[in-house]
Amino acid sequence: MFSERLKQLIPYTAGEQPRDMKYLKLNTNENPYPPSLKIEEFLKSCDIERLRLYPDPLANGLRCALAKRYKVEEENIFVGNGSDEVLSFVFYAFFDDKNGPLLFPQFTYSFYPVYCGFYMIQYEKIPLAQDFSININDYLNKPSCGIILANPNAPTGCYINLEQIKQLIENYQKDRVIVIDEAYIDFGGESAIKLINDYNNLLIIRTFSKGMSLAGIRLGFAIGNKELIDALFTVKDSFNSYPVDMLTQKIGEIAICDEEYYKIINTKIIETRQYFSGELIKAGWEVLPSKANFIFVRKKGLSGKNIYLKLKERGILVRYFDIEGIKDFVRITIGRQEDMEYLLKEMNNSFL
């Protein structure tokens, strides 16, 4: 009844969404602040008559707004239903086994090996340094069909600066694509978008879910050389030519134009992350340096699972990964200042 492909699939495991009680939810890296209020104004005045029509398959209005914001051309932008769909199209369009495995870090976004399984792409996990940083030299002089790096990385939060990215691109094969997944770049890092005009094989993936507080609408985009973007349109139009609905396109357009609002709320998250990290370090926790809206922490003598379970008993959800090499850690999303003060109090009560 079922295909051999299906039998071999190992699906992605999302952060839990329990319904048994009300939790302080710090396990899925959602932005704790609401999206732009201009979106609410649009939804209240939206003409529902428009919903009987198909959306613009090219998302021209949204792509125009994105192009203006990031100082590129519309032809350099592709949009899809969340960065996960965009990533799926990327894996299909650019990676195969002809030149070797796909390279990505040992500990990174766990959807990457899932897509490799879905599209039957061989991959190689490159070990992180002892401090969990990425050494770009480890990706050079290896047979490979491409490279994908989350920057900042997940779940560690560690960041690669632009000079390192440039060094990687300049020393890698020019006919293979390097993907930089910038889902968390709005929380302190510097985007590599400015490099796309210099490197034809560089593709940047972004999302509205984190920095723009819009995880609920599923909207993501890619920025890169026109040839790469055209390839993504070919994949999309071979799968679903109307992927991003009319409301989502318009909401994304409004959000991308309200840059000042998002600077304010994301600066708050950065400040809260710095405060919370500092307090944990004072209390004897190891906190990896993070440029994301989460931190990756552990404490000597405690297992990550024990930390996770004790906090869950107290109505607080954090993320635990039952993976050898990071079992001592938990990933904690940065919420509002009062959320993190409450969590700090509970951690001190539970683990001191």
Side-chain angles (χ1 to χ4, degrees):
M1 181 181 290
F2 300 112
S3 71
E4 288 302 314
R5 291 191 303 272
L6 177 66
K7 293 175 185 177
Q8 294 175 31
L9 286 182
I10 301 174
Y12 172 75
T13 302
E16 62 183 318
Q17 308 272 7
R19 306 289 183 184
D20 58 324
M21 62 180 281
K22 185 175 181 180
Y23 289 92
L24 172 56
K25 194 167 177 292
L26 302 174
N27 65 329
T28 51
N29 298 340
E30 292 146 324
N31 197 308
Y33 298 101
S36 168
L37 293 179
K38 294 177 182 179
I39 295 170
E40 183 177 14
E41 296 169 12
F42 159 70
L43 291 174
K44 286 179 177 178
S45 62
C46 181
D47 178 10
I48 64 168
E49 173 74 12
R50 294 179 61 190
L51 296 180
R52 67 182 180 82
L53 304 173
Y54 283 109
D56 175 4
L58 299 178
N60 282 312
L62 175 56
R63 291 169 66 218
C64 178
L66 286 164
K68 184 176 180 181
R69 167 75 176 273
Y70 294 111
K71 297 179 174 55
V72 297
E73 302 298 323
E74 283 184 56
E75 66 184 21
N76 298 126
I77 296 173
F78 174 86
V79 299
N81 283 308
S83 59
D84 289 333
E85 181 183 74
V86 177
L87 283 167
S88 176
F89 293 163
V90 165
F91 274 63
Y92 188 90
F94 305 122
F95 305 140
D96 56 36
D97 296 340
K98 183 173 65 175
N99 298 304
L102 176 64
L103 306 181
F104 50 79
Q106 176 185 8
F107 305 119
T108 191
Y109 185 30
S110 50
F111 231 134
Y112 299 160
V114 171
Y115 284 135
C116 285
F118 191 86
Y119 293 117
M120 294 181 285
I121 301 165
Q122 296 297 314
Y123 62 88
E124 180 180 347
K125 293 183 177 182
I126 305 300
L128 298 176
Q130 190 170 1
D131 63 357
F132 292 91
S133 63
I134 292 171
N135 184 343
I136 58 96
N137 291 320
D138 294 338
Y139 293 78
L140 302 174
N141 302 315
K142 277 180 167 288
S144 62
C145 64
I147 296 171
I148 183 164
L149 299 174
N151 192 39
N153 193 24
T156 64
C158 298
Y159 169 72
I160 312 167
N161 64 42
L162 280 189
E163 285 306 311
Q164 291 174 296
I165 292 174
K166 287 171 67 174
Q167 183 183 343
L168 174 65
I169 301 168
E170 288 174 358
N171 289 280
Y172 188 62
Q173 294 97 321
K174 307 304 180 190
D175 61 343
R176 284 162 223 172
V177 176
I178 295 175
V179 177
I180 307 296
D181 184 351
E182 293 187 340
Y184 299 101
I185 201 69
D186 292 326
F187 303 105
E190 185 178 6
S191 175
I193 290 172
K194 63 181 66 176
L195 302 179
I196 65 159
N197 290 327
D198 298 324
Y199 303 105
N200 291 340
N201 62 333
L202 174 64
L203 189 70
I204 310 299
I205 309 296
R206 298 289 294 268
T207 179
F208 282 73
S209 295
K210 314 301 183 185
M212 283 182 272
S213 306
L214 288 168
I217 67 168
R218 313 310 300 129
L219 183 61
F221 58 101
I223 299 184
N225 173 268
K226 181 181 183 298
E227 186 177 4
L228 301 183
I229 298 302
D230 287 346
L232 293 178
F233 273 107
T234 297
V235 176
K236 172 188 80 76
D237 291 335
S238 303
F239 177 75
N240 176 10
S241 57
Y242 296 102
V244 182
D245 67 77
M246 180 272 289
L247 292 176
T248 298
Q249 289 186 31
K250 186 60 180 177
I251 289 170
E253 189 177 336
I254 294 167
I256 207 68
C257 293
D258 200 357
E259 186 175 0
E260 190 57 36
Y261 170 75
Y262 286 109
K263 275 185 180 177
I264 291 170
I265 65 169
N266 291 330
T267 297
K268 287 182 182 179
I269 291 170
I270 292 168
E271 292 170 350
T272 301
R273 182 189 70 212
Q274 292 169 336
Y275 154 79
F276 184 64
S277 298
E279 293 300 310
L280 285 184
I281 291 168
K282 288 178 192 175
W285 292 77
E286 179 185 354
V287 182
L288 298 190
S290 174
K291 292 285 188 182
N293 69 334
F294 60 82
I295 57 174
F296 208 44
V297 307
R298 65 181 170 184
K299 192 170 188 180
K300 190 174 181 180
L302 297 174
S303 72
K305 187 173 185 179
N306 185 41
I307 298 167
Y308 155 73
L309 289 174
K310 277 200 172 185
L311 290 176
K312 187 175 182 180
E313 287 174 4
R314 293 174 176 267
I316 302 166
L317 290 178
V318 298
R319 188 78 187 266
Y320 164 66
F321 298 89
D322 189 14
I323 300 171
E324 205 59 49
I326 55 173
K327 284 186 174 184
D328 290 342
F329 284 90
V330 292
R331 192 192 68 193
I332 303 173
T333 302
I334 302 300
R336 297 174 188 247
Q337 181 72 17
E338 56 267 30
D339 297 331
M340 307 318 289
E341 289 174 357
Y342 174 72
L343 173 57
L344 184 65
K345 178 183 173 184
E346 292 298 320
M347 291 176 76
N348 286 336
N349 289 337
S350 298
F351 305 116
L352 276 180

